[in-house]
Structure formats: C-alpha cells, structure tokens
Amino acid sequence: MVLVTAPKKACAVNPLKMSQPIGGAFAFMGLRGAMPLLHGPQGCTSFGLTLFVRHFKEPVPLQTTAMSEVTTVLGGYENVEQAILNIHNRAKPEIIGICSTGVTETNGDDVDAYIKLIREKHPQLAKLPLVYVSTPDFKDAFQDGWGKTVARMVEVLVEAPATGAERNPAQVNVLPGCHLTPGDLDELRIILEDFGLQPSFLPDLAGSLDGHIPDQFTPTTIGGIGIDDVARMGRAGWTIAIGAQMRRAAEAMQAKTGVPFRLFERLCGLIPNDDFIAFLSEISGRPVPSRYRRQRGQLVDAMLDAHFQIGGRRLAIGAEPDLLFDLSSMLHEMGAQVTAAVTTTQSAVLEQIKATEVQIGDLEDLEELARTRNCDLLITHSHGRQAAARLKIPFYRAGFPMFDRLGSGHQLSVGYRGTRDLIFDIANLVIADREENHAPTPDSWRNSTLPLRGGRRSSIDSTERSIA
C-alpha cells in the first residue's frame, strides 16, 4: 500500500496547489448566466481572476465583496448585501454563487443568515438563486472547493421529483471533476449521445469556457447549463460521476432525488474506458457503435507503438489527487515508474496510486524528489517549468493553471481517443528530448570523432567523407 506523507514545512516555497475558493468559483462558471462572488478582500479575487484569464485566454466573470480591515473585524453583512445588489442591478445574472475565503471564515461570517436577511429586505431578489459554499483557503485545495460547490448546487438547485413521477431513462446526469477540460466534456457528450443518451453536465464548462466568441458581450458566464436544466436533473435515469471528488455530489443527488449513480474514478486508459463503454451500452440497451471499436483498436496500437518510449521512464508527477491518479495509472500501465508523486490534499484515491509514496507538498518537494530519484520526465502545471529546466528533463504540462501554452481548454485525455492522443504527446516529447540531448543521430555521427583503426579512420567515417 502506498504511503501518504503530510507536509512538515512551515510554508509552501513554490506552491503546487490552487486554493479552495477559486475551485468553488470555477464550478459556478459552468452555469449559464452565473456570477461567481468571492466573499473576502479584493486581493483574493484578483489572484484567482489572473489565473483563470491566463489559463483560458478568455474574459472571466468573477466579483468580490471587497472586505477591508474594518469590515473584516466588524462583519461583512453590508459588503455582501451591496455586492449582491450591484451584481443584480448591473449584470442581471441568472444565479450568484458565493464562496467564502480564509479571512471571512476566520471571522466567522454567517453568510447563510446574511442571505436570508437580504432577501427579506429586498423583495426583488426573491427569485434570484443565491448559493453559498463554505470554502476557506486555509485548508483543503482546488478540487475540494469544486466538489463541495457541485454538491451544494445539487442540494439547492435540483428539484426532488414528485412521488410516482416517471423518469426519463435516456436522460443521464454527468458530474465531472475539475481535472476534466472543456475538451474532455465535449468528447464525453459525443460518446453519450452516440448511445442515444441525453447528457446533462453539472457544471458544464464546455459551454462557457470552450473559447467560443459570443454574438454580444455579457458580463456573466456566456454558456453552460441553465438553472432550469439543473432543476430537472432529478428526473434522470442515471448519474455518472467522474473522479473521486464527485462522490459527495453524486450521493447528494441520490439522497435528494433517488437517481442511482455510478462513479468512474478515471477515464484515461484502456480498461477504465472499456468499463465506461460497457456501462453506457448496458443502460442504453444499445450495442457499442463501430467507431468506438475502431478507436479502441487505435488506442491499443498506440500503446504498442509508444511503450518503447514510455516504458521504464521514471516519472515525477505533481497534481491534484484525481488528476495524479488518472495520469499516473495510465502511464504505469504503459510501463513507466512513478518514482516521485506530490499532491495537494488528502483523498481516498491516493491509496490506489502505483507508487511507494505520495507526498502532500509543493513544487519544491517535487523538484527535490525528482532530483534525488533520478526522474527523467516531469508532469505538472505551468509553474513547474523552471524545475524541469533545472533538472534538464522533458516537461509535460497538465492541470491548472497552464498559461504558457495555447489550447489548455481543449487538451483531451478521456475516452479511447483522448488517451491515444495523450500517449502520443508524451511519447513525442520523450523522442524530441532524446534527439536533442542524448541519442546519436546522422548529424551527430557526422561531427563525431571515431577511434582510429590501424592508423586510418573507420569505414563509416571514410564513407561519410567520400559522400561529403
């Protein structure tokens, strides 16, 4: 069994984890017409907003209650009230999602009570959904904030079906983890629809942060799942949760509506996708479409082709627990060794990672482990690029944030096709590094000095000189 070790340092030197509040705000961005609101100082919101904009290269709606030193001490009711009124009057949102921060949590603001008082005082807010989630940033991490927020959405927005109400067996709820990109959600939607199913994603980042240009500007999210669609999720035949972080939301859905769920802890790799496709065939009553049989064959061939480059590699991976489990499991199945694994927060899924140790820490810990254990491939988000340069090893960017490359929102790793493309990307990275820094090539042979044989150069050298 893998050993999970807790941090012993007094501070994070080179942070790996992103905070819980921005994980919660990120989830609200998957709702149509939403305005995420961080209850805390302006700096908390500015930092998160910068990360989102640099990652997606898109305008991102995110507001703050702008707490000061005085209001933090005396209580933030007036700031919350003014923020909600300003957003309602100017942005006209369909929903406001409120996430706490460490400052307001430490003070003990009762935001649920604030919302009740604000509704009583301002009748015009009676029909505006206001969803509050407790997400202090002094504990937990990005995926915890996401998971808590989605569970809260289910508790507040999903309507329990009437007794005896008929369900739609073709309707399927999908609760994706934060480690899935908008591109991943688009791929899952195509797969589900090919089985004749009608998927409803909560949240649906593929509709709001997929990089499309709207017909006109809107200050709120420009796509995603609508509030009415969320309310109808209780009529579905099944709920599919992706990532261990989504178990809480799936259980909340089942407890409130009675919709059964199936949790897939990962969808990157051959066996997990075999299970996923078989499950879809079972609940839809349809045979597997021929395209997925062909895609499966392509993935198997890609695994065969790329295992020469990936097999035996010593990996250093730093990511949120679900992403760490997803990537490390697939690469382990390709023959790689996970020799350095660092994550951000506790999770039950860490016990399943194929490594001797998983450390909860930062990028400084990851770099040190990679150096002492002679790792030859580094995988983490963009903040790991300096470590990879110092270690002089190939670097594959995965996770959030990814701000020094384009197309992060369309990066694909789920399904047979996504796994195939991921394998090719990593294998090609290894090939490029070997050609540039390690293995001899025709060009390097031409410049090398081979040993003398009886006072004459080798036949290879003589041949090259004669050709030249």
Side-chain angles (χ1 to χ4, degrees):
M1 179 180 293
V2 64
L3 174 65
V4 180
T5 59
K8 297 180 180 179
K9 297 191 299 185
C11 67
V13 177
N14 189 3
L16 169 65
K17 82 170 186 177
M18 302 295 113
S19 70
Q20 192 176 193
I22 64 172
F26 192 33
F28 282 121
M29 293 176 195
L31 301 179
R32 185 174 63 238
M35 178 60 75
L37 173 65
L38 294 190
H39 180 36
Q42 289 179 311
C44 296
T45 303
S46 299
F47 176 71
L49 183 61
T50 299
L51 288 175
F52 287 128
V53 171
R54 295 183 73 193
H55 180 84
F56 289 105
K57 310 293 190 295
E58 303 294 338
V60 173
L62 188 60
Q63 289 293 338
T64 177
T65 57
M67 298 289 287
S68 65
E69 296 88 342
V70 175
T71 55
T72 299
V73 174
L74 299 180
Y77 168 79
E78 292 182 356
N79 289 60
V80 174
E81 178 186 33
Q82 194 60 49
I84 290 175
L85 288 174
N86 286 341
I87 293 170
H88 175 261
N89 294 332
R90 297 177 183 179
K92 308 296 182 185
E94 296 181 34
I95 179 174
I96 298 177
I98 308 170
C99 296
S100 64
T101 60
V103 170
T104 55
E105 286 280 353
T106 302
N107 188 49
D109 279 2
D110 188 351
V111 180
D112 284 321
Y114 292 173
I115 292 174
K116 185 177 180 180
L117 291 173
I118 291 169
R119 287 193 185 279
E120 292 174 354
K121 187 176 178 181
H122 303 281
Q124 68 270 30
L125 302 176
K127 295 183 179 180
L128 176 64
L130 301 172
V131 181
Y132 167 69
V133 191
S134 174
T135 54
D137 49 13
F138 49 72
K139 69 172 185 176
D140 298 329
F142 189 80
Q143 80 166 40
D144 298 301
W146 172 284
K148 290 178 183 178
T149 301
V150 179
R152 186 62 178 159
M153 290 178 189
V154 171
E155 294 168 353
V156 176
L157 301 176
V158 177
E159 295 178 356
T163 304
E166 292 187 4
R167 297 188 182 277
N168 181 2
Q171 181 181 341
V172 175
N173 303 326
V174 183
L175 306 178
C178 65
H179 60 298
L180 301 185
T181 67
D184 289 328
L185 301 193
D186 278 334
E187 181 74 4
L188 291 173
R189 192 189 313 275
I190 292 171
I191 295 172
L192 288 160
E193 290 178 348
D194 282 345
F195 280 91
L197 299 171
Q198 302 165 12
S200 297
F201 288 81
L202 180 67
D204 187 2
L205 295 177
S208 59
L209 288 172
D210 62 339
H212 71 279
I213 299 176
D215 295 332
Q216 57 185 10
F217 171 77
T218 174
T220 60
T221 53
I222 58 176
I225 186 170
I227 302 302
D228 293 339
D229 295 323
V230 176
R232 290 191 291 267
M233 293 180 78
R235 306 174 190 174
W238 277 92
T239 294
I240 296 174
I242 304 170
Q245 62 191 280
M246 305 312 295
R247 178 179 292 277
R248 177 175 177 177
E251 290 175 344
M253 181 76 75
Q254 185 177 44
K256 186 171 185 179
T257 67
V259 179
F261 73 90
R262 171 75 182 271
L263 176 68
F264 292 90
E265 291 180 333
R266 66 186 183 103
L267 285 182
C268 182
L270 180 63
I271 295 176
N273 280 290
D274 285 348
D275 293 340
F276 181 60
I277 294 296
F279 175 72
L280 296 184
S281 179
E282 177 186 348
I283 65 174
S284 67
R286 295 192 179 191
V288 177
S290 59
R291 76 163 67 183
Y292 297 108
R293 298 182 184 276
R294 184 173 181 82
Q295 286 181 13
R296 186 184 190 278
Q298 292 173 345
L299 172 57
V300 172
D301 184 70
M303 295 173 70
L304 177 63
D305 293 343
H307 88 275
F308 297 101
Q309 284 74 37
I310 296 177
R313 285 273 155 180
R314 299 171 64 86
L315 305 180
I317 306 181
E320 297 281 330
D322 280 352
L323 182 59
L324 173 63
F325 175 63
D326 210 2
L327 295 178
S328 66
S329 297
M330 185 276 290
L331 292 170
H332 173 78
E333 292 161 2
M334 288 290 296
Q337 305 172 34
V338 184
T339 33
V342 177
T343 190
T344 59
T345 183
Q346 287 284 356
S347 172
V349 81
L350 296 178
E351 298 178 359
Q352 302 180 50
I353 292 176
K354 304 299 183 182
T356 56
E357 178 187 2
V358 176
Q359 183 171 334
I360 298 175
D362 58 17
L363 289 173
E364 182 189 53
D365 300 320
L366 182 65
E367 182 177 355
E368 182 61 25
L369 290 172
R371 178 180 291 106
T372 58
R373 298 177 183 179
N374 298 316
C375 293
D376 48 22
L377 177 62
L378 179 66
I379 300 176
T380 187
H381 54 59
S382 287
H383 288 298
R385 66 197 187 283
Q386 295 96 339
R390 288 189 290 265
L391 295 168
K392 294 181 173 60
I393 60 177
F395 175 43
Y396 183 78
R397 292 161 176 82
F400 176 86
M402 194 186 307
F403 49 77
D404 57 343
R405 293 292 185 273
L406 296 176
S408 56
H410 299 279
Q411 194 175 51
L412 189 61
S413 65
V414 301
Y416 294 129
R417 183 163 55 180
T419 306
R420 178 201 66 192
D421 292 349
L422 176 62
I423 288 172
F424 283 149
D425 287 343
I426 294 177
N428 287 332
L429 189 68
V430 172
I431 292 171
D433 176 73
R434 185 173 59 199
E435 290 177 346
E436 291 176 7
N437 302 313
H438 303 290
T441 66
D443 290 335
S444 63
W445 294 340
R446 194 180 303 275
N447 296 328
S448 62
T449 303
L450 300 180
L452 294 174
R453 295 182 180 178
R456 299 180 60 188
R457 296 290 178 186
S458 69
S459 59
I460 295 177
D461 187 59
S462 300
T463 302
E464 287 194 350
R465 286 189 291 108
S466 63
I467 292 175

